[in-house]
Amino acid sequence: MKRAMTVTYRVGRGLYVNMTNRCTNRCDFCIRNNGEGAYGSDSLWLIAEPTVAQTLESITAADPSSYEELVFCGYGEPSVRLYDVRAVALHVKERYPELPIRINTNGHSDLIFGFDTAPLYGGAFDTVSVSLNTPSAEKYNEMCHPVYGLSAHEALISFAKNVNKYVHNVVFSVVRETLTDGELRECEKIAEMAGVTLKVRTYIGK
Ligand code: SF4
């Protein structure tokens, strides 16, 4: 496996930020199973996790003002470094107040830290996109292999509901190819109940 220090990379008009390769899931459909990068990037397998300062340096060098969005995504789960990711986001917000900031997450941060982490997203992110993946805890467990087992699915739904109080735009994302029509309808109901938008995407990374 080739490793690099690809901390930022372009996806369309978005500047993506890769601060960790750690993840609390091991999804069958993870883009990491198919290669080393995403959307033509260099390898996203990191030589070492970048510090907050290194991450800000990489973002500044990429000229964020020429992008439409900054996205914490990774080749891993960004919320495992929630405090560092938040610190970077707050710095960027101060310097580029017009640039929307999103975090793509598996929604496990309450389980990772052991408390209600939703307030930590407030003021730092304009959008929190949570991978719902499936309406069923059992299927989530089979597809995503969370280290937290069956409790992970309920926890991510609860996280989305809570973070909705602090962040303007909270989204549940699902991959269309992995869902039956009935499952998609169930996901729509869960999103409605949680008060968040459902985004249906096609299979290609996160
Ligand atoms: S949560 Fe995201 S990074 Fe982690 S295994 Fe699943 S798709 Fe990959």
Side-chain angles (χ1 to χ4, degrees):
M1 176 198 305
K2 189 179 158 208
R3 290 185 180 270
M5 278 308 275
T6 312
V7 180
T8 51
Y9 57 104
R10 174 187 283 276
V11 178
R13 302 181 78 90
L15 180 60
Y16 278 51
V17 185
N18 174 30
M19 287 184 73
T20 187
N21 292 152
R22 287 180 282 159
C23 189
T24 47
N25 272 349
R26 198 166 34 81
C27 303
D28 293 337
F29 52 83
C30 183
I31 193 172
R32 307 190 301 180
N33 301 333
N34 302 332
E36 297 185 331
Y39 305 95
S41 75
D42 288 338
S43 175
L44 294 173
W45 292 111
L46 293 161
I47 293 165
E49 289 188 343
T51 62
V52 169
Q54 286 171 326
T55 307
L56 285 167
E57 205 174 294
S58 179
I59 290 170
T60 304
D63 184 15
S65 59
S66 63
Y67 289 87
E68 290 184 357
E69 193 178 25
L70 186 79
V71 184
F72 292 90
C73 184
Y75 225 31
E77 170 49 40
S79 76
V80 302
R81 295 188 66 191
L82 182 55
Y83 286 94
D84 289 342
V85 167
R86 175 179 166 80
V88 171
L90 288 173
H91 271 98
V92 173
K93 270 232 156 290
E94 199 176 312
R95 188 145 174 218
Y96 305 93
E98 304 301 321
L99 183 66
I101 302 181
R102 164 161 55 109
I103 181 168
N104 289 350
T105 175
N106 63 15
H108 291 184
S109 61
D110 291 356
L111 294 169
I112 294 167
F113 290 93
F115 62 86
D116 174 10
T117 56
L120 292 170
Y121 291 78
F125 306 101
D126 302 283
T127 298
V128 175
S129 178
V130 182
S131 301
L132 176 63
N133 293 329
T134 164
S136 147
E138 288 76 18
K139 190 170 171 190
Y140 185 86
N141 200 37
E142 281 165 25
M143 281 170 46
C144 299
H145 313 284
V147 296
Y148 304 107
L150 285 170
S151 63
H153 191 256
E154 193 181 326
L156 73 86
I157 294 170
S158 162
F159 165 74
K161 265 194 238 169
N162 289 335
V163 82
N164 210 15
K165 298 178 211 154
Y166 302 94
V167 173
H168 171 66
N169 187 30
V170 180
V171 174
F172 269 145
S173 75
V174 292
V175 178
R176 184 62 187 97
E177 291 90 332
T178 63
L179 295 173
T180 64
D181 291 350
E183 286 171 332
L184 182 58
R185 278 193 295 277
E186 288 296 307
C187 289
E188 286 166 355
K189 280 187 205 157
I190 291 172
E192 196 181 334
M193 181 266 300
V196 310
T197 307
L198 184 71
K199 181 178 163 200
V200 182
R201 65 179 177 85
T202 50
Y203 175 68
I204 180 146
K206 114 186 201 184

